[in-house]
Amino acid sequence: KAGVTQTPRYLIKTRGQQVTLSCSPISGHRSVSWYQQTPGQGLQFLFEYFSETQRNKGNFPGRFSGRQFSNSRSEMNVSTLELGDSALYLCASSSWEDYIGELFFGEGSRLTVL
Amino acid sequence: AQSVSQHNHHVILSEAASLELGCNYSYGGTVNLFWYVQYPGQHLQLLLKYFSGDPLVKGIKGFEAEFIKSKFSFNLRKPSVQWSDTAEYFCAVNARHQLIWGAGTKLIIKP
């Protein structure tokens, strides 16, 4: 069974640009969640989607947005990039409808903002 | 607000030493508790989980954790560590449909 796939793995952007990250969950998993990982802040929850609906959202500004498609694939978008957005963005999928946290993670998309 | 506290940010041990990593959480309701591990260059993976029942749970690679409700703790243990256990360990709590993470503990095992 293929794992969670995130693309691109690495990307470099400049301040003010926008970026879209993609995540393909494990086949059959309908819950997809996104996390930001930085050395200073650790793992921070961004949002979670289930069957195309955002069920939960973390404490991030509106520049961070996401969506989920009918095939459970998900994208997240960050607009007007800031230096502080440099981070590893992790996607995780779950087969649990109730989202009780048994997550399978991708390898992440490492974003560098210059 | 809910929070998870991991007591040690960096731990250095020699091979065969015993390991205990502390994790405390603040949340008054029913919780599900997890330990995840991130080996160098690899993705986060589940080490073990507690949902209900026996408070002593066993995970992969000889790890175990004990849930003590009265202390709001979920400490990770391993009787004898190996060099391959070098990794970052994260405690997490699922409360109200999101995972709340501890800051992580970087564990280095000296061969």
Side-chain angles (χ1 to χ4, degrees), chain B residues 32 54 59 64 66 69 76 79-80 82 88 104-105 110-111:
Chain B
N32 301 307
D54 189 344
E64 65 179 32
E66 184 175 13
K69 190 174 181 180
L76 181 70
S80 176
Q82 301 172 299
E88 190 161 14
T105 298
K110 298 183 295 183

Side-chain angles (χ1 to χ4, degrees), chain A residues 4-8 20-26 29-35 46-54 65-77 90-93 109:
Chain A
V4 177
T5 304
Q6 291 187 245
T7 57
T20 299
L21 308 177
S22 179
C23 172
S24 293
I26 291 172
H29 287 191
R30 293 161 64 190
S31 168
V32 173
S33 50
W34 289 89
Y35 293 85
L46 281 156
F47 23 67
E48 188 256 350
Y49 289 88
F50 182 85
S51 291
E52 302 179 69
T53 300
Q54 186 183 89
S65 62
R67 59 179 176 168
Q68 187 182 33
F69 301 98
S70 58
N71 61 358
S72 294
R73 193 177 68 85
S74 177
E75 288 181 349
M76 66 162 281
N77 184 276
L90 295 170
C91 169
S93 73
S109 293

Side-chain angles (χ1 to χ4, degrees), chain A residues 9 35 37 41-45 48 55-58 88 90 96 98-108, chain B residues 32-34 36 38 41-46 49 51 88 90 94-104 106:
Chain A
R9 291 288 315 281
Y35 293 85
Q37 186 178 22
Q41 298 295 317
L43 278 155
Q44 303 285 317
F45 172 74
E48 188 256 350
R55 295 198 297 187
N56 208 349
K57 188 176 189 303
L88 181 66
L90 295 170
W96 294 85
D98 198 33
Y99 186 60
I100 56 175
E102 189 166 1
L103 302 175
F104 295 84
F105 284 86
E107 297 195 359
Chain B
N32 301 307
L33 297 154
F34 307 84
Y36 281 82
Q38 191 170 30
Q42 296 187 29
H43 60 276
L44 273 164
Q45 55 187 284
L46 183 68
K49 62 184 185 286
F51 289 168
E88 190 161 14
F90 294 90
N94 179 37
R96 296 178 183 171
H97 303 296
Q98 69 164 291
L99 274 189
I100 300 174
W101 297 84
K106 284 191 170 72

Side-chain angles (χ1 to χ4, degrees), chain B residues 20-42:
Chain B
E20 180 159 4
L21 300 181
C23 172
N24 285 91
Y25 65 93
S26 69
Y27 181 65
T30 302
V31 293
N32 301 307
L33 297 154
F34 307 84
W35 278 96
Y36 281 82
V37 60
Q38 191 170 30
Y39 297 103
Q42 296 187 29

